[in-house]
Amino acid sequence: MTRTPLIAGNWKMNGLQPALEEAKAIAQAADSQDGAEVLLCPPATLLTDLARTLSGSRVKTGGQDCHAEESGAHTGDVSAEMLAGAGADYVIVGHSERRADHGEDDLTVKAKAKAARRAGLTPIICVGEKEAERAKGVHLDVIEMQLDGSTPKNLAGDEVVIAYEPVWAIGTGRTAEPQDIAEMHEFIRTRLRHIMGEEAEGVRILYGGSVKPGNAAEILGIDNVDGALVGGASLKAADFGPIIASAQSE
Ligand code: PGA
């Protein structure tokens, strides 16, 4: 089964208007390649402008979170429909920073993933163990629980993306060992078969956590790694460009 790799940039709470210029440079790098699908998830305030800036390029846009409901009295929140209206194709849900900063549990994440589908967006559902959980050897159990709890049933393989991001590797410069990534991604594929049957083969499973130009090719070459979710190194074309290019040589 061939799955087109997805290289997704998560800008987190970074980016003012000048970042649109950087996005143009990223689009140039992306447009000179054709192997991977490329995505930028800016802060909600930049989404409309970014989608306009990138129209005509191969780079798609996504949100970093959405509310489960379509509209209503939820001050400060943004719905999946609003993201779609602003030009998004994807939305990240259940990022570990949302789970930690906003107390989001698996049930909430699943509701957000369903909302994404309702609005025609592809949810990127994030899972990942904490350092203490890996040290205790319960990382597979943690991921199993998060996956089972956060992934809606009855989705086609191309209607959802999973991102495995060990919490201790995010923004730390540390990455999981290749054999640990391989083990986890195979485990996730197997769990997805339980959740969605043969559609699991079409689901792209991204790795995230300190992906950089220097380690991207190795990580993307691991079985069942179908792309990357990149934070810090997606902010500059000089870093993100080479990561996009690494996906070509898979
Ligand atoms: P990082 O972030 O690449 O800066 O580690 C990844 C993420 O949180 O999605």
PDB file of all heavy atoms in Angstrom, residues 10 12 92 95-97 126 165 169-173 208-212 229-233, ligand 1:
ATOM      1  N   ASN A  10       3.705  22.718  12.201  1.00  0.00           N
ATOM      2  CA  ASN A  10       2.846  23.238  13.276  1.00  0.00           C
ATOM      3  C   ASN A  10       3.538  24.476  13.840  1.00  0.00           C
ATOM      4  O   ASN A  10       4.536  24.356  14.554  1.00  0.00           O
ATOM      5  CB  ASN A  10       2.691  22.143  14.349  1.00  0.00           C
ATOM      6  CG  ASN A  10       1.988  22.641  15.594  1.00  0.00           C
ATOM      7  OD1 ASN A  10       1.421  23.737  15.608  1.00  0.00           O
ATOM      8  ND2 ASN A  10       2.028  21.826  16.653  1.00  0.00           N
ATOM      9  N   LYS A  12       2.450  26.501  15.997  1.00  0.00           N
ATOM     10  CA  LYS A  12       2.096  26.772  17.401  1.00  0.00           C
ATOM     11  C   LYS A  12       1.753  28.260  17.570  1.00  0.00           C
ATOM     12  O   LYS A  12       1.182  28.864  16.665  1.00  0.00           O
ATOM     13  CB  LYS A  12       3.221  26.312  18.334  1.00  0.00           C
ATOM     14  CG  LYS A  12       3.638  24.864  18.032  1.00  0.00           C
ATOM     15  CD  LYS A  12       4.506  24.255  19.078  1.00  0.00           C
ATOM     16  CE  LYS A  12       4.845  22.818  18.669  1.00  0.00           C
ATOM     17  NZ  LYS A  12       5.555  22.092  19.687  1.00  0.00           N
ATOM     18  N   ILE A  92      -5.207  19.922  13.388  1.00  0.00           N
ATOM     19  CA  ILE A  92      -4.541  19.109  14.419  1.00  0.00           C
ATOM     20  C   ILE A  92      -5.482  19.030  15.618  1.00  0.00           C
ATOM     21  O   ILE A  92      -6.037  20.049  16.036  1.00  0.00           O
ATOM     22  CB  ILE A  92      -3.219  19.780  14.860  1.00  0.00           C
ATOM     23  CG1 ILE A  92      -2.246  19.913  13.675  1.00  0.00           C
ATOM     24  CG2 ILE A  92      -2.568  19.005  16.007  1.00  0.00           C
ATOM     25  CD1 ILE A  92      -1.039  20.826  13.970  1.00  0.00           C
ATOM     26  N   HIS A  95      -3.202  17.673  20.342  1.00  0.00           N
ATOM     27  CA  HIS A  95      -1.758  17.875  20.524  1.00  0.00           C
ATOM     28  C   HIS A  95      -1.443  17.819  22.011  1.00  0.00           C
ATOM     29  O   HIS A  95      -2.245  18.272  22.833  1.00  0.00           O
ATOM     30  CB  HIS A  95      -1.346  19.228  19.929  1.00  0.00           C
ATOM     31  CG  HIS A  95       0.141  19.398  19.883  1.00  0.00           C
ATOM     32  ND1 HIS A  95       0.879  19.733  20.990  1.00  0.00           N
ATOM     33  CD2 HIS A  95       1.036  19.244  18.869  1.00  0.00           C
ATOM     34  CE1 HIS A  95       2.166  19.782  20.660  1.00  0.00           C
ATOM     35  NE2 HIS A  95       2.279  19.496  19.374  1.00  0.00           N
ATOM     36  N   SER A  96      -0.285  17.319  22.358  1.00  0.00           N
ATOM     37  CA  SER A  96       0.024  17.134  23.788  1.00  0.00           C
ATOM     38  C   SER A  96       0.014  18.462  24.539  1.00  0.00           C
ATOM     39  O   SER A  96      -0.268  18.497  25.738  1.00  0.00           O
ATOM     40  CB  SER A  96       1.367  16.428  23.973  1.00  0.00           C
ATOM     41  OG  SER A  96       2.407  17.220  23.457  1.00  0.00           O
ATOM     42  N   GLU A  97       0.312  19.559  23.816  1.00  0.00           N
ATOM     43  CA  GLU A  97       0.253  20.869  24.493  1.00  0.00           C
ATOM     44  C   GLU A  97      -1.197  21.254  24.803  1.00  0.00           C
ATOM     45  O   GLU A  97      -1.463  21.896  25.825  1.00  0.00           O
ATOM     46  CB  GLU A  97       0.965  21.929  23.631  1.00  0.00           C
ATOM     47  CG  GLU A  97       2.476  21.734  23.692  1.00  0.00           C
ATOM     48  CD  GLU A  97       3.240  22.208  22.462  1.00  0.00           C
ATOM     49  OE1 GLU A  97       2.684  22.960  21.643  1.00  0.00           O
ATOM     50  OE2 GLU A  97       4.415  21.797  22.328  1.00  0.00           O
ATOM     51  N   CYS A 126      -3.280  13.566  17.518  1.00  0.00           N
ATOM     52  CA  CYS A 126      -1.958  13.375  18.133  1.00  0.00           C
ATOM     53  C   CYS A 126      -2.038  12.467  19.352  1.00  0.00           C
ATOM     54  O   CYS A 126      -2.945  12.598  20.183  1.00  0.00           O
ATOM     55  CB  CYS A 126      -1.377  14.715  18.577  1.00  0.00           C
ATOM     56  SG  CYS A 126      -1.178  15.892  17.239  1.00  0.00           S
ATOM     57  N   GLU A 165       3.731  11.531  18.719  1.00  0.00           N
ATOM     58  CA  GLU A 165       4.713  12.501  19.202  1.00  0.00           C
ATOM     59  C   GLU A 165       5.027  12.219  20.660  1.00  0.00           C
ATOM     60  O   GLU A 165       4.261  12.620  21.555  1.00  0.00           O
ATOM     61  CB  GLU A 165       4.139  13.928  19.104  1.00  0.00           C
ATOM     62  CG  GLU A 165       3.784  14.355  17.704  1.00  0.00           C
ATOM     63  CD  GLU A 165       3.687  15.868  17.586  1.00  0.00           C
ATOM     64  OE1 GLU A 165       2.830  16.468  18.267  1.00  0.00           O
ATOM     65  OE2 GLU A 165       4.493  16.443  16.858  1.00  0.00           O
ATOM     66  N   ALA A 169       9.992  14.330  23.502  1.00  0.00           N
ATOM     67  CA  ALA A 169      10.806  14.662  22.313  1.00  0.00           C
ATOM     68  C   ALA A 169      10.382  15.987  21.691  1.00  0.00           C
ATOM     69  O   ALA A 169      11.049  16.491  20.788  1.00  0.00           O
ATOM     70  CB  ALA A 169      10.691  13.544  21.279  1.00  0.00           C
ATOM     71  N   ILE A 170       9.263  16.555  22.173  1.00  0.00           N
ATOM     72  CA  ILE A 170       8.743  17.779  21.558  1.00  0.00           C
ATOM     73  C   ILE A 170       9.519  18.994  22.047  1.00  0.00           C
ATOM     74  O   ILE A 170       9.567  19.271  23.252  1.00  0.00           O
ATOM     75  CB  ILE A 170       7.236  17.942  21.863  1.00  0.00           C
ATOM     76  CG1 ILE A 170       6.451  16.824  21.172  1.00  0.00           C
ATOM     77  CG2 ILE A 170       6.746  19.314  21.403  1.00  0.00           C
ATOM     78  CD1 ILE A 170       4.967  16.824  21.494  1.00  0.00           C
ATOM     79  N   GLY A 171      10.168  19.673  21.117  1.00  0.00           N
ATOM     80  CA  GLY A 171      10.875  20.912  21.429  1.00  0.00           C
ATOM     81  C   GLY A 171      12.099  20.726  22.303  1.00  0.00           C
ATOM     82  O   GLY A 171      12.627  21.695  22.853  1.00  0.00           O
ATOM     83  N   THR A 172      12.564  19.501  22.443  1.00  0.00           N
ATOM     84  CA  THR A 172      13.694  19.234  23.339  1.00  0.00           C
ATOM     85  C   THR A 172      14.985  18.939  22.589  1.00  0.00           C
ATOM     86  O   THR A 172      16.047  18.860  23.197  1.00  0.00           O
ATOM     87  CB  THR A 172      13.401  18.005  24.231  1.00  0.00           C
ATOM     88  OG1 THR A 172      13.145  16.883  23.365  1.00  0.00           O
ATOM     89  CG2 THR A 172      12.201  18.247  25.128  1.00  0.00           C
ATOM     90  N   GLY A 173      14.887  18.728  21.284  1.00  0.00           N
ATOM     91  CA  GLY A 173      16.071  18.331  20.531  1.00  0.00           C
ATOM     92  C   GLY A 173      16.355  16.841  20.642  1.00  0.00           C
ATOM     93  O   GLY A 173      17.282  16.316  20.033  1.00  0.00           O
ATOM     94  N   GLY A 208       6.446  12.888  15.166  1.00  0.00           N
ATOM     95  CA  GLY A 208       6.760  14.258  15.535  1.00  0.00           C
ATOM     96  C   GLY A 208       7.566  14.322  16.807  1.00  0.00           C
ATOM     97  O   GLY A 208       7.499  13.429  17.666  1.00  0.00           O
ATOM     98  N   GLY A 209       8.334  15.387  16.926  1.00  0.00           N
ATOM     99  CA  GLY A 209       9.193  15.585  18.099  1.00  0.00           C
ATOM    100  C   GLY A 209      10.618  15.801  17.649  1.00  0.00           C
ATOM    101  O   GLY A 209      11.331  14.859  17.343  1.00  0.00           O
ATOM    102  N   SER A 210      10.994  17.110  17.554  1.00  0.00           N
ATOM    103  CA  SER A 210      12.366  17.481  17.192  1.00  0.00           C
ATOM    104  C   SER A 210      12.827  16.920  15.846  1.00  0.00           C
ATOM    105  O   SER A 210      13.997  16.556  15.687  1.00  0.00           O
ATOM    106  CB  SER A 210      13.336  17.075  18.305  1.00  0.00           C
ATOM    107  OG  SER A 210      13.002  17.732  19.516  1.00  0.00           O
ATOM    108  N   VAL A 211      11.890  16.845  14.886  1.00  0.00           N
ATOM    109  CA  VAL A 211      12.303  16.494  13.518  1.00  0.00           C
ATOM    110  C   VAL A 211      13.031  17.705  12.938  1.00  0.00           C
ATOM    111  O   VAL A 211      12.563  18.844  13.047  1.00  0.00           O
ATOM    112  CB  VAL A 211      11.089  16.115  12.644  1.00  0.00           C
ATOM    113  CG1 VAL A 211      11.510  15.886  11.202  1.00  0.00           C
ATOM    114  CG2 VAL A 211      10.392  14.877  13.209  1.00  0.00           C
ATOM    115  N   LYS A 212      14.211  17.446  12.354  1.00  0.00           N
ATOM    116  CA  LYS A 212      15.081  18.513  11.847  1.00  0.00           C
ATOM    117  C   LYS A 212      15.643  18.069  10.492  1.00  0.00           C
ATOM    118  O   LYS A 212      15.555  16.898  10.144  1.00  0.00           O
ATOM    119  CB  LYS A 212      16.277  18.702  12.805  1.00  0.00           C
ATOM    120  CG  LYS A 212      15.913  18.999  14.249  1.00  0.00           C
ATOM    121  CD  LYS A 212      16.391  20.384  14.627  1.00  0.00           C
ATOM    122  CE  LYS A 212      15.826  20.952  15.902  1.00  0.00           C
ATOM    123  NZ  LYS A 212      14.668  20.425  16.526  1.00  0.00           N
ATOM    124  N   LEU A 229       5.300  15.528  11.675  1.00  0.00           N
ATOM    125  CA  LEU A 229       4.672  16.743  12.212  1.00  0.00           C
ATOM    126  C   LEU A 229       5.809  17.533  12.849  1.00  0.00           C
ATOM    127  O   LEU A 229       6.466  17.055  13.782  1.00  0.00           O
ATOM    128  CB  LEU A 229       3.588  16.382  13.232  1.00  0.00           C
ATOM    129  CG  LEU A 229       2.804  17.557  13.836  1.00  0.00           C
ATOM    130  CD1 LEU A 229       2.168  18.439  12.769  1.00  0.00           C
ATOM    131  CD2 LEU A 229       1.703  17.037  14.778  1.00  0.00           C
ATOM    132  N   VAL A 230       6.056  18.715  12.294  1.00  0.00           N
ATOM    133  CA  VAL A 230       7.266  19.457  12.621  1.00  0.00           C
ATOM    134  C   VAL A 230       6.897  20.785  13.279  1.00  0.00           C
ATOM    135  O   VAL A 230       6.114  21.553  12.720  1.00  0.00           O
ATOM    136  CB  VAL A 230       8.067  19.745  11.321  1.00  0.00           C
ATOM    137  CG1 VAL A 230       9.395  20.418  11.648  1.00  0.00           C
ATOM    138  CG2 VAL A 230       8.289  18.455  10.530  1.00  0.00           C
ATOM    139  N   GLY A 231       7.459  21.049  14.448  1.00  0.00           N
ATOM    140  CA  GLY A 231       7.190  22.303  15.135  1.00  0.00           C
ATOM    141  C   GLY A 231       8.246  23.337  14.781  1.00  0.00           C
ATOM    142  O   GLY A 231       8.193  23.996  13.740  1.00  0.00           O
ATOM    143  N   GLY A 232       9.247  23.473  15.649  1.00  0.00           N
ATOM    144  CA  GLY A 232      10.271  24.512  15.514  1.00  0.00           C
ATOM    145  C   GLY A 232      10.878  24.608  14.124  1.00  0.00           C
ATOM    146  O   GLY A 232      11.054  25.713  13.585  1.00  0.00           O
ATOM    147  N   ALA A 233      11.166  23.475  13.523  1.00  0.00           N
ATOM    148  CA  ALA A 233      11.849  23.484  12.223  1.00  0.00           C
ATOM    149  C   ALA A 233      10.907  23.756  11.054  1.00  0.00           C
ATOM    150  O   ALA A 233      11.329  23.695   9.899  1.00  0.00           O
ATOM    151  CB  ALA A 233      12.600  22.159  12.016  1.00  0.00           C
TER     152      ALA A 233
HETATM  153  P1  PGA B   1       9.013  20.208  17.590  1.00  0.00           P
HETATM  154  O1  PGA B   1       7.418  20.153  17.798  1.00  0.00           O
HETATM  155  O2  PGA B   1       9.296  19.787  16.183  1.00  0.00           O
HETATM  156  O3  PGA B   1       9.374  21.635  17.861  1.00  0.00           O
HETATM  157  O4  PGA B   1       9.595  19.254  18.589  1.00  0.00           O
HETATM  158  C1  PGA B   1       6.643  19.121  17.227  1.00  0.00           C
HETATM  159  C2  PGA B   1       5.201  19.282  17.606  1.00  0.00           C
HETATM  160  O5  PGA B   1       4.910  19.612  18.762  1.00  0.00           O
HETATM  161  O6  PGA B   1       4.293  19.087  16.765  1.00  0.00           O
END
